[in-house]
Amino acid sequence: MPSIWSRLTSFREPLFRQFILKKSRAVRVLVCHILCTLTFALLNNSYAQEPISYNIQGVEDAQLRNNIRLHLNSLDVEKTLLTDPYWQDEVGETVATAVQPYGYYNSETKVNIEEGDRVTVNVALNAPLTINKVTREIIGAGREDKAFRERFNSLKLKEGDVLNQTIYESFKSSMFNYALSNGYFDYFWQATRLDLVRDEKQANVLLIAQSGPQYKFGELKFIGNDKAKAIIERLKPFQTGDAYSSSTLADFNRSLNQSGYFTRVIARPVVSEADGLQVPIEISLLHRPTDAFNVSVGAATDTGPRLRLGWERPWVNSKGHSVSSDIFISAPEQSVTADYRIPMKNITRDYASIEAGYQFIEYSNTSFESETLSLAAHRYWQGNDSPWQHDGSITYLRETYDQGELSTNTTSLVLPGYSLTYRDKDSELNINNGTYLQMLTQIGKEGYGSDIDFAKAVVEATFIRTFNNVHRIALRGEAGIIKTNRFDDVPTSLRFYAGGDKSVRGFDYREISPTAEVIDPETGELTVDSIGGKYLATSSIEYAYQVAENWRVAAFVDAGTATNDTNTTLTYSTGPGVHWLSPIGPIRLYIARGFAPEENTWQLHIMLGPEL
């Protein structure tokens, strides 16, 4: 007879399988339940209600009201729960946290949900804490530094003022930065405390600063080739032993980078290597290549395609002398120039220049040809932080010019001159706001290196302004006068002409001027040709509207003349245009209708490059 144990054993395996199956079903049900719950939560979050818009009442100060709103927007609560006392207390604590930095430690808040689910938060700020006492003290060398004391005493919180912790914290940070910027590298706050006496609605401020000593500028320390040492010493705006100043060091870095001698340069203090209180200034630099070459191409209606080849050697010697040369090629004009530059005391703004050049000009629309040799010495100078550049010069010019076959002249002139130039623009390429002004005068005296008496004065100005980022106004004007005892001997390159892209559009380049009958060298026939005038007056106004990110439409009116008689009728033109603000600079196209006393003309003008 089977024992009870054997019977149990016979049932054990099926029962165990049933037990496992039941457990597996339970696990599957539990997993499905968890997945459903997570899915519902994710869906619930994805369709979460919009943030609550709070209507804050009882707070007049805009800054305080905005801070309350900022804190409330960070509160994670549904609008339907705001009737719950717990959440209303949370709102009240959030508002209290927002207003306490501004001295309001006794505020009261009530939350109302009005019709349309409008949430109104009524805030009673109640009486704020006011400053009862401000205790300040400087320990160290800063105590004897007048500027340091004035900065330390500039805390805006005074006795009787409403407590504003943002001012208090901002002052601590700004004072620390000021100390570091002025050589107090060991500065620290020895004690800072804000004691709040809420029962008396008062606050006491304690500020004790340990300034430490004021460090000084030390010697320059060069990293890399030090052949520029003499130049850098001249650019240095401080002497060894002067009080350290980060603004002075910033000016030094600016001058180094504007000098044109370096690809990369930076000056920084090395406090860890201070010798006593003198901090060495480390100069890390990378010189420009020995020779630099550049090629630029362009085009304009007046000159057609043009090519410029440039070469520069920024380092001729350790004194910073440099030399450069340019070759310019276009259909009417070819020239070669060389410039030897000698830096003076202020290298970036103060230098002497010796220039030599050769130029050949032949314009297809006239019978005019000229060859010019020139040698000039210039002395440029410009005040610190001034946009005005001065140029005193003396120029020797020898020009041989032909006007048809009726005249071939050679004139030599020695011309002392002076020019004053103002230039300011917000961009090198696409200018929205800019100003350019130049005044030039040159004088020559017969018997003193010049073949004739000669005096010339020119004033040129351009103003560009943009309003609301879309409305652009450009004004341009030029006026000039020549005085001489023999105008026929004045080189034609020094006479005045009008017409062309940058003068009176609607006419050919140099088309507007007094005329004379000359023999065309190609046909042998008499023809009327422009010969240049004594007086010049041109003006222009242009309006452009930005219709797309890189496109403007424009309209303009030009007027002007070059003449020997001040009573001459002005020539003028008008027309539409379009500007494309390309990556390489603006490309401007105009269709101009010219109106002259003798004829009316049409002209297409295409210009590449900025106006200033």
Side-chain angles (χ1 to χ4, degrees):
M1 181 177 180
S3 66
I4 296 175
W5 173 251
S6 62
R7 291 176 181 176
L8 288 174
T9 303
S10 63
F11 287 100
R12 183 173 56 186
E13 187 172 341
L15 286 173
F16 180 78
R17 284 198 299 268
Q18 291 177 19
F19 175 79
I20 292 300
L21 288 173
K22 288 180 181 179
K23 289 295 183 181
S24 299
R25 291 192 192 99
V27 169
R28 286 199 298 271
V29 170
L30 179 61
V31 169
C32 289
H33 178 73
I34 291 173
L35 289 174
C36 290
T37 302
L38 290 173
T39 302
F40 176 78
L42 291 172
L43 290 172
N44 188 50
N45 285 336
S46 64
Y47 293 99
Q49 64 179 9
E50 295 181 359
I52 300 172
S53 178
Y54 295 95
N55 176 31
I56 301 169
Q57 298 292 327
V59 180
E60 300 297 331
D61 184 86
Q63 184 180 14
L64 191 56
R65 188 167 58 250
N66 290 336
N67 199 47
I68 293 173
R69 192 181 307 281
L70 183 65
H71 279 71
L72 287 175
N73 288 340
S74 65
L75 192 63
D76 187 13
V77 58
E78 295 182 11
K79 189 182 299 184
T80 55
L81 297 178
L82 289 178
T83 55
D84 188 304
Y86 168 79
W87 284 108
Q88 292 200 356
D89 289 343
E90 285 292 310
V91 171
E93 290 179 7
T94 302
V95 171
T97 300
V99 301
Q100 283 175 2
Y102 298 90
Y104 296 97
Y105 279 81
N106 301 293
S107 64
E108 297 177 0
T109 302
K110 293 183 179 180
V111 180
N112 295 318
I113 300 181
E114 302 172 355
E115 294 183 4
D117 289 340
R118 181 181 176 87
V119 179
T120 299
V121 179
N122 294 289
V123 181
L125 294 173
N126 298 323
L129 273 61
T130 58
I131 303 297
N132 176 56
K133 187 177 182 181
V134 178
T135 303
R136 285 172 293 200
E137 185 177 355
I138 303 171
I139 301 173
R143 190 183 188 93
E144 308 302 324
D145 184 337
K146 181 180 178 182
F148 189 96
R149 289 199 313 272
E150 289 177 353
R151 185 70 176 78
F152 188 75
N153 293 326
S154 66
L155 176 65
K156 294 181 179 180
L157 291 177
K158 310 298 181 185
E159 294 180 3
D161 290 351
V162 174
L163 171 64
N164 190 323
Q165 293 185 38
T166 58
I167 294 176
Y168 170 77
E169 294 296 340
S170 176
F171 173 78
K172 290 197 299 180
S173 297
S174 65
M175 188 64 215
F176 183 81
N177 293 332
Y178 173 85
L180 295 183
S181 297
N182 287 274
Y184 293 93
F185 297 120
D186 298 331
Y187 179 95
F188 67 94
W189 287 108
Q190 185 162 309
T192 61
R193 192 164 63 246
L194 192 61
D195 293 328
L196 307 178
V197 187
R198 300 192 185 188
D199 293 340
E200 299 179 11
K201 297 182 176 59
Q202 291 181 346
N204 297 309
V205 179
L206 175 66
L207 294 168
I208 301 177
Q210 175 59 263
S211 71
Q214 185 177 27
Y215 286 78
K216 315 295 181 183
F217 281 111
E219 299 291 338
L220 299 184
K221 176 184 177 182
F222 291 88
I223 304 298
N225 192 324
D226 66 349
K227 72 177 182 179
K229 184 175 181 179
I231 289 294
I232 292 175
E233 287 284 355
R234 288 165 59 184
L235 286 171
K236 187 176 67 174
F238 54 83
Q239 299 297 323
T240 300
D242 288 351
Y244 176 86
S245 168
S246 63
S247 61
T248 301
L249 190 63
D251 291 339
F252 186 31
N253 273 293
R254 189 178 303 112
S255 296
L256 289 171
N257 282 282
Q258 292 175 352
S259 67
Y261 294 111
F262 311 106
T263 301
R264 178 184 58 81
V265 59
I266 185 170
R268 68 180 188 90
V270 188
V271 182
S272 61
E273 298 181 12
D275 182 8
L277 294 180
Q278 290 193 355
V279 178
I281 304 301
E282 183 182 272
I283 310 292
S284 300
L285 54 85
L286 181 64
H287 291 279
R288 289 181 60 189
T290 303
D291 295 289
F293 300 89
N294 64 77
V295 178
S296 62
V297 296
T301 310
D302 294 340
T303 61
R306 55 180 184 257
L307 171 68
R308 187 182 298 275
L309 307 175
W311 164 76
E312 181 183 10
R313 177 166 290 181
W315 286 100
V316 175
N317 54 37
S318 62
K319 296 180 180 180
H321 294 196
S322 61
V323 62
S324 63
S325 179
D326 281 305
I327 298 175
F328 178 82
I329 302 172
S330 70
E333 177 184 347
Q334 301 86 47
S335 66
V336 179
T337 60
D339 178 15
Y340 190 89
R341 183 171 297 188
I342 304 169
M344 308 304 283
K345 184 176 180 180
N346 186 331
I347 293 171
T348 57
R349 294 172 172 262
D350 186 6
Y351 58 92
S353 173
I354 300 172
E355 301 173 5
Y358 168 81
Q359 181 185 55
F360 176 79
I361 299 177
E362 180 182 13
Y363 292 103
S364 60
N365 64 320
T366 72
S367 57
F368 165 75
E369 291 182 4
S370 78
E371 281 188 291
T372 304
L373 290 171
S374 63
L375 180 65
H378 292 264
R379 178 70 165 84
Y380 298 94
W381 70 97
Q382 188 171 358
N384 291 330
D385 302 321
S386 172
W388 294 95
Q389 184 186 61
H390 305 260
D391 173 18
S393 65
I394 183 166
T395 302
Y396 170 74
L397 181 146
R398 180 180 176 84
E399 182 171 329
T400 300
Y401 52 96
D402 298 330
Q403 191 78 47
E405 293 188 354
L406 289 183
S407 60
T408 298
N409 292 326
T410 298
T411 301
S412 296
L413 295 170
V414 174
L415 301 173
Y418 171 77
S419 73
L420 180 63
T421 304
Y422 176 97
R423 191 191 307 269
D424 181 42
K425 53 187 177 180
D426 60 2
S427 172
E428 290 298 323
L429 290 178
N430 298 314
I431 301 169
N432 289 317
N433 295 283
T435 302
Y436 173 79
L437 176 65
Q438 184 179 65
M439 295 169 281
L440 166 69
T441 182
Q442 289 180 304
I443 299 174
K445 180 67 175 176
E446 186 176 2
Y448 292 86
S450 296
D451 295 337
I452 57 174
D453 290 339
F454 177 84
K456 181 178 183 179
V458 182
V459 178
E460 182 181 358
T462 302
F463 300 94
I464 300 172
R465 295 292 183 269
T466 301
F467 304 94
N468 297 328
N469 296 321
V470 293
H471 303 284
R472 186 177 189 267
I473 302 292
L475 303 174
R476 173 172 48 82
E478 187 176 11
I481 183 172
I482 292 173
K483 290 293 185 182
T484 180
N485 58 345
R486 294 195 303 276
F487 185 74
D488 289 345
D489 292 333
V490 173
T492 53
S493 66
L494 296 179
R495 301 179 187 183
F496 290 120
Y497 299 83
D501 295 342
K502 297 182 179 180
S503 181
V504 181
R505 285 163 283 191
F507 299 89
D508 284 336
Y509 184 49
R510 299 163 61 100
E511 180 180 356
I512 303 169
S513 86
T515 59
E517 286 190 339
V518 299
I519 297 176
D520 189 321
E522 294 184 0
T523 65
E525 299 179 354
L526 284 175
T527 183
V528 176
D529 210 348
S530 299
I531 61 172
K534 299 178 181 179
Y535 308 105
L536 174 70
T538 65
S539 63
S540 172
I541 181 170
E542 176 176 314
Y543 169 76
Y545 180 79
Q546 187 153 349
V547 294
E549 183 177 358
N550 293 312
W551 292 91
R552 292 192 294 247
V553 293
F556 71 89
V557 176
D558 296 343
T561 188
T563 180
N564 291 326
D565 182 0
T566 56
N567 294 321
T568 302
T569 302
L570 292 178
T571 299
Y572 67 96
S573 65
T574 187
V578 61
H579 302 176
W580 175 39
L581 308 183
S582 76
I584 60 173
I587 297 175
R588 293 167 288 149
L589 182 147
Y590 301 95
I591 300 174
R593 176 64 164 168
F595 300 91
E598 297 82 12
E599 63 175 343
N600 297 334
T601 62
W602 287 98
Q603 195 81 15
L604 177 68
H605 295 272
I606 301 174
M607 289 173 275
L608 172 63
E611 295 95 323
L612 302 182

